Amino acid sequence: MLLQLGSISTLVVSSPSTAREIMKTHDLVFASRPSLKAGRILVYNNNDLALAPYGEYWRRTRKICVTNLLSLKMIQSFSLVRMEEVSLMIERIACMASTNNGVVCVSEILNKLTIDVLCKSVLGSSLSEERRKVFCELVRLNSIFFGKFFLEDYFPWLRWLDVLFGLEGELRRHSKKMDALLGEFVEEHVSQLAEGETTSSSTCFIDVLLQLQKDSTLPFVLTKEQIKGLLSDLIAADTSPALLDWCMVELIRNPIVMEKVQSEVRGIANGEEKVREEYLGKLTYMKAVIKEVLRLHPPIPLLLPRESLQDCKIEEYNISKKTRVLINTWAIGRDEVYWKKPLDFKTERFLGDDVDYKGNDFHYIPFGAGHRICPGIQFAISIVELALANLVYRFNWKLPSGISCDGMDMEDSAGITTRRNENLYLVSLEI
Ligand code: HEM
């Protein structure tokens, strides 16, 4: 669908065949991002990776991200971090359940888990309780501001209304706070490195970036703003708590699927205290559950906006240079041509099927595709699989009394990344 929104031509893509045209056939033409107000103010004039326009800076930064930060080797080096944090999660559930008639706020537990894994990987250590509160609130606001409608993005001459209604002021105040926190993280690591201290056994992302900054053999210099921009992406991009939350919701709503996934995990890790990473490769059914959840509840339902670098023809439409493109992966995952009974939660559709989220199947693109595909897939999936396997291995789960599946709110919250509107509370029974 081609729309004229203010002064911006906008192409909304809701079919797999058009998505293939954009992200495969003409991938390079659509490999850029529009410059939006939130990106200019929040990430140093798009000096990050996710919102950077296509070009030399993006290529360099993407390479750093893929080879130095999110490589398989780096992800494997955080294996111990993931296992430690999952063990702490199990202890926390048992503790919460014992003081609360078995009722656990699953959303809170999952948030804490994923934030701690992320902080240990990015910053080398977890945050104090007080700092975590500030951090979580800033990350939540970041997602909201990136998803907000600013008049200037569609009607540049109406910027004064964003200012008049106070939206721009709010964004700038938030940006100052985020910048101050990111600046503190960087300064702390600069002094630790100067004193020869390291914070953990595996090198964290921030230290890798600071080492690259000092590397005189590189043909470019990473500025402090670029480091903060990249850190902001790595911290804010993680939508795995939303994915894990939806996994638990769908398992509760589909007790037969829960039984099957539990029997698979329990059969494989039988007798062990916890499910270890070595077992994950064998959990075919659980992987299919995660894929089905990603189909029905993609955490970034409109991907990240793209912009065409030149005129181009897509199907019968002439698309002019600088057209904004929104790819609706939520609708694509419900396309009846590709998915039988698309609204049903059916894990079986992914069993014995090669459909994957690596960007080759355009009817299934929860992580995007092409040049701009998410570079954090493996990072996200490794913690999601480990956490889910242990949640269903160690505990049986049910809804608190008085709450039925039909009464559960299935709506998503607002923001560029979505998650369920309500926190999930469940009763956990340790086995
Ligand atoms: C369940 C978890 C995640 C989901 C569903 C997800 C999804 C996505 C999607 C849909 C995009 C846009 C792709 C496109 O435009 O075609 C994206 C981009 C990106 N993601 Fe993820 N992501 C997840 C986790 C992560 C993690 C853990 C990281 C890093 C720690 C990460 C880092 C990024 C970055 C840096 C980009 C921008 C890439 C670019 O523009 O070149 N993501 N992600």
Side-chain angles (χ1 to χ4, degrees), residues 299-346:
I300 308 188
L302 277 184
L303 300 189
L304 299 182
R306 297 190 179 214
E307 188 179 82
S308 57
L309 289 164
Q310 62 189 61
D311 293 351
C312 174
K313 189 157 185 162
I314 299 288
E315 292 163 358
E316 74 269 29
Y317 297 109
N318 287 317
I319 307 295
S320 49
K321 185 175 167 178
K322 283 199 152 300
T323 296
R324 206 166 284 173
V325 182
L326 302 175
I327 299 172
N328 188 343
T329 184
W330 184 92
I332 287 174
R334 285 163 167 74
D335 190 315
E336 285 186 340
V337 175
Y338 292 85
W339 304 102
K340 263 190 217 155
K341 298 202 174 168
L343 299 186
D344 292 359
F345 187 86
K346 274 182 31 188

Side-chain angles (χ1 to χ4, degrees), residues 33 50 58 62 237-239 300 303 306 366-369 372 374-375:
R33 306 268 192 225
W58 171 79
R62 173 105 191 171
D238 191 15
T239 50
I300 308 188
L303 300 189
R306 297 190 179 214
F367 291 98
R372 288 292 194 154
C374 173

Side-chain angles (χ1 to χ4, degrees), residues 190-199:
V190 169
S191 26
Q192 277 165 10
L193 285 175
E195 286 160 23
E197 283 177 34
T198 48
T199 40

Side-chain angles (χ1 to χ4, degrees), residues 23 33 49-51 58 62 65 70 118 205 233-234 237-240 243 294 299-300 303-304 306 365-369 371-377 379-380 384:
M23 295 194 283
R33 306 268 192 225
L49 171 62
L51 305 174
W58 171 79
R62 173 105 191 171
C65 221
L70 297 167
L118 194 72
F205 294 167
D233 274 9
L234 297 170
D238 191 15
T239 50
S240 26
L243 172 57
L294 275 167
I300 308 188
L303 300 189
L304 299 182
R306 297 190 179 214
I365 44 169
F367 291 98
H371 276 73
R372 288 292 194 154
I373 191 171
C374 173
I377 301 180
F379 187 97
V384 167

Side-chain angles (χ1 to χ4, degrees), residues 168-382:
E168 187 170 320
E170 271 178 43
L171 177 62
R172 286 191 189 279
R173 280 191 294 281
H174 165 66
S175 163
K176 258 196 174 161
K177 288 186 196 158
M178 192 77 197
D179 175 57
L181 187 69
L182 293 170
E184 277 175 28
F185 291 150
V186 173
E187 290 313 324
E188 281 166 15
H189 281 258
V190 169
S191 26
Q192 277 165 10
L193 285 175
E195 286 160 23
E197 283 177 34
T198 48
T199 40
S200 71
S201 51
S202 42
T203 317
C204 60
F205 294 167
I206 198 166
D207 288 348
V208 173
L209 291 171
L210 289 172
Q211 276 150 12
L212 284 173
Q213 192 183 35
K214 282 204 246 149
D215 188 343
S216 55
T217 62
L218 292 178
F220 57 87
V221 181
L222 263 178
T223 67
K224 192 172 163 191
E225 289 204 332
Q226 287 165 350
I227 292 183
K228 286 191 285 182
L230 248 175
L231 287 178
S232 157
D233 274 9
L234 297 170
I235 287 166
D238 191 15
T239 50
S240 26
L243 172 57
L244 271 166
D245 212 79
W246 274 117
C247 285
M248 291 303 285
V249 170
E250 290 295 4
L251 287 176
I252 284 293
R253 283 161 51 88
N254 296 278
I256 296 174
V257 180
M258 174 70 102
E259 241 175 75
K260 283 189 186 169
V261 78
Q262 279 183 323
S263 93
E264 179 185 61
V265 179
R266 289 173 187 175
I268 284 170
N270 190 15
E272 303 260 347
E273 202 198 334
K274 284 167 211 120
V275 186
R276 288 183 278 125
E277 286 201 331
E278 301 89 281
Y279 298 142
L280 298 178
K282 297 183 186 157
L283 300 176
T284 318
Y285 190 81
M286 188 189 77
K287 284 173 192 279
V289 168
I290 295 171
K291 281 186 178 175
E292 179 66 340
V293 172
L294 275 167
R295 180 184 72 82
L296 280 172
H297 310 287
I300 308 188
L302 277 184
L303 300 189
L304 299 182
R306 297 190 179 214
E307 188 179 82
S308 57
L309 289 164
Q310 62 189 61
D311 293 351
C312 174
K313 189 157 185 162
I314 299 288
E315 292 163 358
E316 74 269 29
Y317 297 109
N318 287 317
I319 307 295
S320 49
K321 185 175 167 178
K322 283 199 152 300
T323 296
R324 206 166 284 173
V325 182
L326 302 175
I327 299 172
N328 188 343
T329 184
W330 184 92
I332 287 174
R334 285 163 167 74
D335 190 315
E336 285 186 340
V337 175
Y338 292 85
W339 304 102
K340 263 190 217 155
K341 298 202 174 168
L343 299 186
D344 292 359
F345 187 86
K346 274 182 31 188
T347 307
E348 280 65 24
R349 62 175 102 238
F350 286 104
L351 292 175
D353 193 328
D354 293 339
V355 176
D356 212 333
Y357 38 60
K358 307 250 170 80
N360 301 313
D361 302 293
F362 291 87
H363 56 296
Y364 186 60
I365 44 169
F367 291 98
H371 276 73
R372 288 292 194 154
I373 191 171
C374 173
I377 301 180
Q378 206 42 52
F379 187 97
I381 290 295
S382 55

